[in-house]
Amino acid sequence: MNTQFQANESIKCTVQQCAHHCQQQNYCSLDCVTIGTHEMNPTADQCTDCKSFQLKQ
């Protein structure tokens, strides 16, 4: 579980379903993340995705 991971205070995150989310804190535990898009021409924040997301087991 994420209790062993340390929060990276440079990466804020509120996606509690992600395996990298620090449970009691709204931070990611990864050193870096990959951000991408599912749109040909992204024009809003909803068009972007965290490609580092992994579903919590």
Side-chain angles (χ1 to χ4, degrees):
M1 282 243 147
N2 281 28
T3 55
Q4 68 198 24
F5 297 148
Q6 183 165 347
N8 180 342
E9 294 183 358
S10 296
I11 306 173
K12 294 183 179 186
C13 179
T14 59
V15 182
Q16 295 181 2
Q17 296 81 1
C18 183
H20 306 297
H21 185 265
C22 293
Q23 297 310 313
Q24 272 59 41
Q25 305 169 49
N26 282 329
Y27 293 106
C28 182
S29 62
L30 294 175
D31 291 333
C32 68
V33 294
T34 301
I35 306 300
T37 184
H38 56 271
E39 301 283 335
M40 292 294 291
N41 185 26
T43 58
D45 60 347
Q46 296 90 342
C47 300
T48 60
D49 306 295
C50 179
K51 299 294 187 178
S52 300
F53 173 83
Q54 288 185 346
L55 184 61
K56 188 187 315 178
Q57 298 286 333

